[in-house]
Amino acid sequence: MTEQNEKSAPQRAETIDAIVRYDEIGLKGKNRPLFERRLVQNLRRVLGLRDHGVQSTRGRIKITAPVGADLSPVSRTFGVKSWSPATSVRAEPDLEAISAIALTAARRAVEEGVRTFKIDARRADKEFPKTSYEIAHIVGGVVDRALPELTVDVKRPELTIGVEVGTRGRAVVYCERMPGPGGLPVGSTGRALVLLSGGIDSPVAAWFAMKRGLEIECVYFHAAPYTGEKTKEKVIELARILTAWHGGRPIRVYIPAFGKVQDAIAEACPEPFWTLALRRVMYAVSDRLARAKQHGALITGECLGQVASQTLENLYAIDRKVDSLVLRPLVGQDKHEVIAIAERIGTFETSTLPYDDCCTLFAPARPKTKVRAADLDDACADLDIAALAELSLATGERVRIAGDGKRDVGPIWSKTEPDVGAEETEARAEPS
Ligand code: ATP
Ligand code: MG
């Protein structure tokens, strides 16, 4: 396209553009390139774009996608502070093309009844011969003179037209600013294993983990024949919904077989301790998986005081035998706050389908609410937790679920599946 053409046809027909803003929090020093690279990669994945479609340009990320592309996944990509659909144009010192695009946008807004505006200008290319103040002044002047219905209001404009002069001789012009979910790009802070049940809480805990940059895998303890296939499907569906927040990556769900574990507990432990003994085995299995699959932490949906079993004493007694770091992101949340997030992230409806999980079916008539860790040790004395853990893993399965519902099923210990972490290494090595 020639320069002349571009000026007279500011909307380039074949592509649409957007710019993405991210927070600078936590980006000092060595973390910054990793953070940016991860965010670029995740955006490429969620949008299905190749390298040139998503590129970082000094403090911003620029997206160039085919016309008609759905850019809404950007709003669910952690690390994004806000983003704007934008029109890209050559950055020329006379600002003519930029002004023409700003004018087209302003004219459209006037037709919709807008009466006040301002230009918000930013200059990343410090070599560009106009300052941001001059850019705002010149472009604003063009709009102001051409549209007498519009007046400038720098404090509370109805319309803000953004102009950003980037590097490589390009600029973008935009009007809308959509919020991103904040947080850190998935994969930028490590990997964690989420104990995912079919309830409301654990998917929200998984979401918080992803929000702080953790790539996740899940473990769901399936107590067949006591719990049915529908409950398992529900948990896999929850994992599928969570992939929308996972930087375009599928999620693996490990499903240890827990029916025999329940039998063993019912046989070896006094009834009031059943739930807590079951938890101990869950934690032991999770700990074993986390070590084998290179996770830096376990994540649970446990909260404090939400149910009788989630007391400080019980939480302490349950996880004191495991080595892994256990994070409980919901510890300070009220139930209604958790529900509001579940609704927002799309898991609530599935979580409230009426299928039982193994804990509700296995609940003792009089559960222990404040157990002493030593008493739980005694109650579990006849339980070979390590052997039960190995058995449940050896007889369980692994489901890898993608956002479109495609799944791949195999054993938990698999020689053929690529090493967990290989994807990660390759992704990190990729230049941005
Ligand atoms: P949720 O709503 O997440 O099911 P909950 O309030 O029902 O939580 P519990 O059933 O006491 O609470 O479980 C506490 C946490 O233990 C869950 O949030 C989850 O992280 C883990 N958990 C419980 N049951 C299972 C299971 N069958 N498989 C995997 N994790 C489980
Ligand atoms: Mg539950």
Side-chain angles (χ1 to χ4, degrees):
M1 194 182 268
T2 66
E3 239 177 86
Q4 200 51 46
N5 277 343
E6 188 163 337
K7 276 185 189 172
S8 54
Q11 298 278 355
R12 290 186 303 152
E14 70 280 16
T15 58
I16 51 169
D17 299 297
I19 54 161
V20 172
R21 303 170 200 88
Y22 48 86
D23 257 331
E24 308 267 320
I25 296 168
L27 295 187
K28 305 261 179 327
K30 276 190 278 176
N31 277 341
R32 191 185 170 117
L34 170 67
F35 173 96
E36 283 176 347
R37 223 166 34 237
R38 263 293 161 163
L39 186 52
V40 165
Q41 263 167 21
N42 292 354
L43 286 167
R44 282 179 189 154
R45 283 180 189 246
V46 299
L47 298 172
L49 295 174
R50 302 179 80 82
D51 293 8
H52 59 270
V54 182
Q55 288 184 322
S56 44
T57 64
R58 209 179 286 183
R60 292 277 190 267
I61 291 171
K62 169 122 181 278
I63 295 171
T64 308
V67 169
D70 174 17
L71 299 186
S72 64
V74 177
S75 297
R76 293 187 297 272
T77 302
F78 288 121
V80 174
K81 185 181 171 203
S82 69
W83 67 282
S84 300
T87 304
S88 178
V89 65
R90 275 180 71 127
E92 286 164 334
D94 66 9
L95 301 172
E96 255 187 63
I98 291 174
S99 302
I101 292 169
L103 186 54
T104 307
R107 196 164 269 139
R108 218 178 295 133
V110 166
E111 280 165 16
E112 287 163 12
V114 167
R115 291 295 172 260
T116 55
F117 86 107
K118 80 166 178 182
I119 305 290
D120 205 352
R122 181 178 182 265
R123 181 183 62 149
D125 174 11
K126 299 297 172 206
E127 306 281 293
F128 189 74
K130 298 261 186 327
T131 63
S132 46
Y133 176 79
E134 288 167 328
I135 297 169
H137 195 71
I138 293 167
V139 177
V142 170
V143 173
D144 202 28
R145 279 192 297 279
L147 300 170
E149 306 92 322
L150 267 189
T151 50
V152 175
D153 179 347
V154 289
K155 288 223 175 94
R156 289 176 159 223
E158 291 166 76
L159 170 71
T160 300
I161 302 176
V163 175
E164 295 197 7
V165 176
T167 48
R168 302 188 202 129
R170 304 292 301 179
V172 288
V173 182
Y174 58 86
C175 297
E176 283 172 285
R177 200 180 259 259
M178 334 272 220
L184 300 171
V186 166
S188 66
T189 59
R191 288 161 52 78
L193 183 67
V194 178
L195 281 71
L196 187 68
S197 67
I200 297 169
D201 300 322
S202 44
V204 174
W207 183 81
F208 274 120
M210 292 188 280
K211 181 163 188 254
R212 295 311 298 166
L214 290 170
E215 186 177 337
I216 61 163
E217 293 190 323
C218 300
V219 56
Y220 161 61
F221 302 97
H222 185 54
Y226 307 111
T227 29
E229 208 51 22
K230 278 191 174 167
T231 309
K232 186 170 93 182
E233 282 304 316
K234 171 178 163 178
V235 175
I236 295 170
E237 172 59 9
L238 285 170
R240 189 197 64 75
I241 296 168
L242 290 171
T243 60
W245 303 89
H246 200 229
R249 291 170 167 76
I251 293 179
R252 284 192 188 84
V253 186
Y254 300 105
I255 309 178
F258 246 48
K260 290 216 167 69
V261 174
Q262 287 196 187
D263 292 340
I265 289 171
E267 200 164 300
C269 307
E271 186 178 331
F273 291 91
W274 282 0
T275 307
L276 295 172
L278 188 68
R279 283 291 146 79
R280 271 231 173 140
V281 188
M282 286 183 185
Y283 271 74
V285 174
S286 306
D287 190 45
R288 168 87 173 87
L289 263 178
R291 262 179 289 124
K293 311 281 184 187
Q294 296 150 42
H295 294 286
L298 305 181
I299 310 283
T300 86
E302 285 159 330
C303 190
L304 196 56
Q306 194 197 77
V307 287
S309 63
Q310 290 170 12
T311 59
L312 271 190
E313 292 81 357
N314 285 7
L315 294 177
Y316 171 73
I318 291 163
D319 81 7
R320 73 182 213 118
K321 296 274 179 188
V322 302
D323 204 29
S324 297
L325 169 66
V326 181
L327 298 178
R328 300 179 171 97
L330 305 190
V331 79
Q333 305 278 325
D334 294 347
K335 192 74 188 187
H336 70 89
E337 293 171 307
V338 176
I339 289 174
I341 296 172
E343 283 172 337
R344 175 181 159 209
I345 68 177
T347 54
F348 184 76
E349 219 176 291
T350 304
S351 286
T352 47
L353 289 172
Y355 311 131
D356 278 326
D357 73 23
C358 60
C359 305
T360 35
L361 291 178
F362 193 56
R366 290 190 301 116
K368 284 275 177 197
T369 51
K370 283 190 179 181
V371 80
R372 283 183 28 214
D375 292 342
L376 184 57
D377 292 350
D378 288 346
C380 295
D382 293 336
L383 208 59
D384 188 344
I385 291 183
L388 284 172
E390 288 309 327
L391 178 70
S392 73
L393 286 164
T395 50
E397 62 178 337
R398 185 258 317 134
V399 178
R400 185 176 186 266
I401 183 93
D404 60 6
K406 271 206 197 106
R407 54 173 86 178
D408 171 80
V409 182
I412 292 175
W413 304 133
S414 161
K415 290 209 173 66
T416 51
E417 208 198 13
D419 260 3
V420 179
E423 232 173 82
E424 169 90 346
T425 317
E426 166 231 321
R428 281 198 183 172
E430 189 184 300
S432 62

